[in-house]
Amino acid sequence: MNVLLIGSGGREHALAWKLAQSATLGRLYVAPGNPGIEKHAFCIDIDPMDAEAIIGFCQDRNVEFVIFGPEAPLVAGVGDKVRAAGFLVFGPSQAAAQLEGSKGFTKDLCARFDIPTGAYQRFSNGAEAKAYVSEQGAPIVVKADGLAAGKGVTVAMTVEEAHAAIDDCFSGSFGSAGAEVVVEAYLDGEEASFFVLSDGKTALALTSAQDHKRVGDGDTGPNTGGMGAYSPAPVMTEEMVARTMSEIIEPTIRGMAEMGHPFSGVFFAGLMITQKGPELIEYNVRFGDPECQVLVMRLKSDLLELLLATAKGELEGVSAEWTDEPALTVVMASKGYPASYQKGSAIKALPEDDETLRVFHAGTAMQDDLLVATGGRVLNVTAIGATVSEARDRAYAGVAQVDWQNGFFRKDIGWRAVEREKR
């Protein structure tokens, strides 16, 4: 089977590497891809938002299955157009992708179907939002309603910080994503990411991860798209997984079907494990980035078969097999990220990939036969080990072999799990 994967980041490199191992695969194409992906697939210069170009390419190259990596084309309805043209698609419909496309939609769904989440209010007016914040006090959370590349959320520890975040949203910092704001209660606990495949009826729990959103060591500085991750998240015990499925995921699947938007694809549930149990922070409708990179390192099953079963509505009776060994990834980013950064700096050397270490390309390109950095997040140095500590040590040994003057990284990825191992 010929397959087209949409996207160009570290998540897509990780997916391409795993998909390329499938016995079911004919040719793997990636649009637009990146230099790292070219080791595993044919990269083609197609805009992920251009449905007509995607459909035309699939018709020309006998592609049967299209897998969407990023959320933006799904939220924009590109997947719907490809599906309507007769192709199998992995990823939810535009209506179901509102789970990520609108924070307010998801909070309203939680209220309607009694899914545990922080108390909230929606605002389309800055003065009203600020008045609510002043009344509630801090800490409090301010979110741009729409897609903001992981940067539209402020966990405000003071009322002043919350007011500034509201001003940011309504001043146009996040474009149309900030036209509406959700203000919600601060949840105290430990965060975890949980991934579940759904074909609209059946749910298949995959595994958990924990990412590191803040740019600086010790979880300091502004939020980013993610500076590193590890899997599994120790806080996601068997009991917590069972509760997450019964209290959050299954009611979501039933609720989306009842609303006429059955969800087919991957749920990426951002959770806070509080004293009461799991509570939903947010949904994403695609594999996490950089969480996907640690997931694929641990997945023993055929990824293509799992995604096909999801797209065909045939998940019932399907299982996924994982290694117990933890995996950890360290994101190397361009200096200045998540604010403005220089593009085009040379990456002169990378470590060799082997069974325990892989470097996934997130924001790279070739210029005059030189590998250069083109994104904010550029490389994901990813390792697996018998313990989180071993995976961490291998990943940082890999980072030490990268020759790139304009890069930086957090030095404490996995610290919570490493602390647990010492107990």
Side-chain angles (χ1 to χ4, degrees), residues 15-286:
L15 291 171
W17 170 70
K18 200 68 187 176
L19 289 167
Q21 298 166 28
S22 174
T24 310
L25 183 69
R27 284 198 153 196
L28 177 60
Y29 299 100
V30 185
N34 68 39
I37 291 172
E38 285 185 330
K39 293 179 189 170
H40 321 289
F42 299 93
C43 292
I44 49 165
D45 188 17
I46 291 178
D47 180 350
M49 302 298 276
D50 188 341
E52 299 312 314
I54 291 168
I55 292 164
F57 180 84
C58 291
Q59 289 165 340
D60 288 348
R61 300 299 173 96
N62 195 24
V63 170
E64 295 171 65
F65 188 29
V66 181
I67 299 165
F68 282 86
E71 66 280 2
L74 295 167
V75 172
V78 175
D80 291 20
K81 291 176 181 170
V82 176
R83 203 179 266 113
F87 299 98
L88 264 177
V89 169
F90 177 82
S93 66
Q94 182 174 23
Q98 288 179 91
L99 279 173
E100 178 164 1
S102 167
K103 304 286 192 296
F105 174 88
T106 299
K107 297 299 272 192
D108 288 351
L109 174 102
C110 290
R112 181 172 166 184
F113 296 101
D114 205 23
I115 295 163
T117 189
Y120 74 103
Q121 289 284 335
R122 298 173 73 168
F123 298 96
S124 52
N125 170 301
E128 288 174 15
K130 286 181 179 177
Y132 178 74
V133 164
S134 297
E135 187 185 300
Q136 295 296 313
I140 198 160
V141 181
V142 178
K143 296 179 174 179
D145 180 69
L147 296 180
K151 302 183 194 82
V153 177
T154 300
V155 180
M157 301 317 282
T158 64
V159 168
E160 293 73 24
E161 194 184 350
H163 283 186
I166 290 164
D167 286 339
D168 269 356
C169 288
F170 288 118
S171 71
S173 292
F174 304 109
S176 59
E180 187 177 324
V181 164
V182 174
V183 180
E184 66 181 45
Y186 171 79
L187 295 175
D188 197 21
E190 187 168 342
E191 279 191 64
S193 304
F194 189 61
F195 296 86
V196 180
L197 293 177
S198 165
D199 64 5
K201 309 177 296 289
T202 302
L204 171 62
L206 295 177
T207 189
S208 63
Q210 197 161 56
D211 81 337
H212 300 65
K213 280 276 182 241
R214 300 290 186 118
V215 73
D217 291 353
D219 293 331
T220 56
N223 272 345
T224 68
M227 292 300 293
Y230 58 93
S231 173
V235 72
M236 290 301 287
T237 58
E238 274 184 43
E239 182 214 357
M240 215 50 80
V241 166
R243 285 190 60 183
T244 300
M245 291 301 288
S246 65
E247 296 172 27
I248 295 176
I249 302 295
E250 284 159 12
T252 301
I253 292 173
R254 286 195 301 271
M256 291 296 282
E258 191 179 307
M259 290 164 73
H261 314 314
F263 187 94
S264 169
V266 63
F267 284 113
F268 162 7
L271 305 173
M272 185 69 80
I273 310 305
T274 69
Q275 289 181 327
K276 291 190 281 186
E279 297 196 40
L280 183 71
I281 301 172
E282 65 179 10
Y283 270 128
N284 298 302
V285 299
R286 34 75 192 180

Side-chain angles (χ1 to χ4, degrees), residues 295-313:
L295 264 58
V296 297
M297 290 290 275
R298 296 186 53 234
L299 180 64
K300 288 180 169 178
S301 304
D302 184 319
L303 178 62
L304 182 53
E305 294 288 353
L306 290 174
L307 303 189
L308 266 175
T310 304
K312 288 179 174 177

